[in-house]
Amino acid sequence: MPEAYERHLVPVFFRPFAADLAARAAALRPGTVLELAAGTGALTSALLTAVPTASVVATDLNEAMVTAGSAREPRADWRQADAQELPFEDGGFDLVLCQFGVMFFPDRPAAYAEVRRVLAPQGRFLFNSWGPLASHGFGAAFQTALEESVSGAAPPFLKDVPHGYSDPAVVAADLAAAGLTLATAEEVTLEGVAESAASVATGFLTGTPVSAAVQDREDAQALRAAVTRKMTDRLGTGPVTAPMSATVYTAHK
């Protein structure tokens, strides 16, 4: 999964927003940074380029992601860590960063409470989460193609998880429950550019948990082909572009 994620999804979805978050982080001039749910290091690399003097600890729950990320971005100190039980001392970081990871935390207030604990007194928590599925051109096209192609109920992963935490009021309430104050919430829409619709389809089908729901089906190969064809019909052939919306949040103690 990390290889497919890095190859097909990171350049299209995550690097554009990594550049945005890294620029915001650089404006805060942090000395010590903790990144949660770092994946394969898209934001990590952008951050270290924007703030080369910062000491960066990059973490992820998934050991395979940590292995892949540490190989791709060795300038950071990589650690496997659960965001809900961080293995770090109190007040050790000027900035905690998380790119499109908070949606995956089973208990967000618990994770945010850990963020509060490890933040320095004047520290900041900077993170983003995807908007509704309809606001993500690639994701919406994929889900529609999947629903049109699958026999039975289509996996609801995209709608329920990556795009299921899109209400700023809910985010603010979760932060408040952890003793954090939401300072800003800004909607940002960027353009994603993919080498082809087929590449994006491959990324979703093999680089996300959707793969688990598809790979054991008897019609898995035909389903992948149908989804790829329908996405290509909808988005076009050759390089394709689509808008992608997210909300960027800043919080503090």
Side-chain angles (χ1 to χ4, degrees), residues 70-91:
S70 61
R72 292 186 174 93
E73 186 42 83
R75 291 178 294 175
D77 176 14
W78 285 83
R79 300 275 299 275
Q80 183 181 13
D82 184 342
Q84 296 171 192
E85 297 181 22
L86 293 173
F88 305 109
E89 296 182 358
D90 296 0

Side-chain angles (χ1 to χ4, degrees), residues 108-109 112 164-176 182 249:
R108 296 184 190 101
Y112 295 159
Y165 194 52
S166 58
D167 185 345
V170 173
V171 176
D174 286 345
L175 289 166
L182 177 62
Y249 300 92

Side-chain angles (χ1 to χ4, degrees), residues 2-24 35 38-47 49-50 68-69 72-73 99-100 128 130 136 138 188 190-195 199 244:
E3 290 75 16
Y5 172 90
E6 175 71 22
R7 165 71 175 81
H8 298 286
L9 300 181
V10 167
V12 184
F13 301 165
F14 301 109
R15 283 187 189 149
F17 284 96
D20 174 77
L21 273 189
R24 295 170 188 267
E35 184 182 357
T40 56
L43 175 57
T44 321
S45 292
L47 174 66
T49 297
R72 292 186 174 93
E73 186 42 83
Q99 171 160 271
F100 300 126
N128 57 13
W130 292 117
H136 193 292
F138 291 115
V188 177
L190 302 177
E191 195 83 354
V193 181
E195 63 184 55
S199 176
M244 310 176 296

Side-chain angles (χ1 to χ4, degrees), residues 13 132-163 197 200-201 204-205 208-211 213-214 223 226-228 230-232 234-235:
F13 301 165
L133 182 57
S135 71
H136 193 292
F138 291 115
F142 172 78
Q143 189 65 27
T144 298
L146 186 63
E147 292 173 356
E148 291 176 351
S149 303
V150 73
S151 56
F157 168 75
L158 286 188
K159 180 180 179 180
D160 290 352
V161 184
H163 297 276
V200 177
F204 277 127
L205 289 167
T208 75
V210 173
S211 63
V214 171
L223 175 58
V227 170
T228 299
K230 289 179 181 294
M231 281 196 70
T232 302
R234 185 167 282 105
L235 297 174

